[in-house]
Amino acid sequence: MKRISLTQYLVEEQRSHDSIPAELRLLIEVVARACKTISHAVGKGALGEVLGSAHSENVQGEVQKKLDILSNEILLEANEWGGHLAAMASEEMETIHQIPHRYPKGEYMLLFDPLDGSSNIDVNVSIGTIFSVLKAPDGMATPTEADFLQPGSKQVAAGYAVYGPQTVLVLTTGNGVNCFTLDREMGSWVLTQQQMQIPTETAEYAINASNARHWYPPVQRYISELEAGKTGPRGKDFNMRWIASMVADVHRILNRGGVFMYPADARDPSKPGRLRLMYEANPIAFIVEQAGGAATTGTERIMDLQPTQLHQRVPVFLGSKNEVELVTRYHQQA
Ligand code: AHG
Ligand code: MN
Ligand code: MN
């Protein structure tokens, strides 16, 4: 089998579609290299002294794990000096990170969730990294936080890595979705799946059912109909999966279909859902749509939202098109 590396894929993509400018190509390669470094640290586990709590909190009041902080630092350091970025933003930093003055600046802005699925780090379950790429406003060398608040439809690239039994990188630049597997011996990313497509129909769903008593009526209705199975209104049995690492749940859905939900619920109106728009929902929505799926808040398309805050949360329904459309219809009818 002829092996196509990430570099070769990006160069050929640039040539044939003119869709990946050289600076964006560099950016993607640098992020991929950082993910390789994170994967290496994850793989060491206890031997690398990377497990456990860092005994600090991020701006969202979540206790940070050592790997949350380490992964954030790896991504920052890798991306600072290349000249491809104007600024960065991360789940683990209160405000944006400017490129130090000693380095040249570029036209892109990078956002990331350095380590997704933190609760799974210490128990050896798949975790990952999510990233989103935006363009800085023209001629803007030192963007402000407000410059980051662009709708997801403006993303020029997005991707995620999963650190699991295999380390994979899933990428879109707006021309479909491709998956690369890390060859650990060679240290290179190899193209292993091209133009991934999420099956439109599915019999699998993912939701944290322990929150059921807080759900709003449209979600209660949708889930109870799935649970009713063959003898219920849907006339078929559904299966449930919840990994608690969005990247891993989404990777399953990309491969065999399904619907992933983290709805808003009746608890705290200032926290609609759990996932963050800018560096979790938007990049995953971009990938899911590029793979033929759908991603909504229950009432509107995620990528149409005009963000108001860097760390804002958003309800999420994404995956196989027919299911996302159905649960969205239930919200609109309510
Ligand atoms: P993070 O580790 O970056 O904070 O994100 C975790 C997210 C997401 O990956 C996952 O789907 C969800 O939180 C898990 O939520 P529960 O703890 O409610 O299962
Ligand atoms: Mn996350
Ligand atoms: Mn995280």
Side-chain angles (χ1 to χ4, degrees), residues 9-300:
Y9 164 80
L10 291 170
V11 168
E12 286 177 352
E13 194 70 6
Q14 178 184 4
R15 254 186 230 141
S16 56
H17 303 289
D18 223 17
S19 65
I20 308 182
E23 216 175 84
L24 181 58
R25 201 179 85 208
L26 175 66
L27 187 165
I28 292 167
E29 294 218 59
V30 172
V31 171
R33 202 180 309 139
C35 290
K36 212 189 293 180
T37 309
I38 297 169
S39 170
H40 191 75
V42 168
K44 290 243 175 226
L47 304 178
E49 294 178 22
V50 295
L51 304 185
S53 170
H55 304 290
S56 54
E57 275 187 8
N58 66 16
V59 61
Q60 304 161 67
E62 299 165 334
V63 175
Q64 293 171 303
K65 296 283 176 71
K66 283 183 197 163
L67 257 183
D68 289 320
I69 294 177
L70 181 67
S71 307
N72 191 56
E73 281 166 4
I74 289 170
L75 280 156
L76 288 179
E77 271 170 34
N79 281 286
E80 266 182 354
W81 50 269
H84 51 285
L85 286 182
M88 292 180 253
S90 159
E91 178 189 346
E92 306 304 340
M93 299 185 296
E94 181 163 3
T95 186
I96 62 172
H97 178 91
Q98 298 289 355
I99 302 299
H101 289 302
R102 61 185 180 280
Y103 300 124
K105 296 200 175 82
E107 56 179 324
Y108 294 103
M109 304 190 296
L110 175 66
L111 299 97
F112 43 83
D113 173 356
L115 208 292
D116 178 62
S118 299
S119 74
N120 283 323
I121 294 172
D122 295 342
V123 292
N124 198 13
V125 172
S126 293
I127 49 183
T129 297
I130 309 172
F131 69 95
S132 162
V133 184
L134 293 167
K135 273 195 120 173
D138 272 344
M140 183 64 73
T142 49
T144 63
E145 208 173 288
D147 294 319
F148 276 80
L149 303 180
Q150 305 177 26
S153 55
K154 299 265 191 206
Q155 292 172 105
V156 293
Y160 66 79
V162 181
Y163 314 117
Q166 302 114 42
T167 288
V168 295
L169 180 75
V170 171
L171 177 71
T172 186
T173 54
N175 236 322
V177 179
N178 293 291
C179 178
F180 301 83
T181 302
L182 180 62
D183 181 329
R184 290 179 170 135
E185 283 75 45
M186 304 295 285
S188 66
W189 294 102
V190 181
L191 180 61
T192 43
Q193 282 173 282
Q194 290 187 58
Q195 296 295 330
M196 298 176 84
Q197 281 290 317
I198 301 176
T200 335
E201 295 284 346
T202 183
E204 232 167 37
Y205 66 102
I207 193 164
N208 182 343
S210 70
N211 297 325
R213 67 192 181 284
H214 305 295
W215 292 338
Y216 291 124
V219 180
Q220 303 266 13
R221 173 185 175 192
Y222 177 68
I223 299 295
S224 67
E225 290 181 2
L226 301 184
E227 285 171 347
K230 244 194 186 89
T231 53
R234 298 296 306 270
K236 69 174 183 182
D237 289 336
F238 284 79
N239 197 3
M240 204 271 275
R241 288 284 182 273
W242 184 253
I243 301 174
S245 293
M246 178 168 59
V247 282
D249 279 311
V250 165
H251 196 63
R252 180 189 63 250
I253 289 169
L254 226 55
N255 278 287
R256 66 173 192 216
V259 52
F260 174 95
M261 292 160 277
Y262 215 119
D265 62 36
R267 277 173 292 181
D268 180 354
S270 74
K271 286 183 184 169
R274 174 177 162 96
L275 299 169
R276 277 68 42 119
L277 173 62
M278 300 293 297
Y279 42 80
E280 291 181 314
N282 268 342
I284 297 295
F286 190 16
I287 291 166
V288 164
E289 283 196 12
Q290 282 290 316
T296 77
T297 63
T299 50
E300 49 192 325

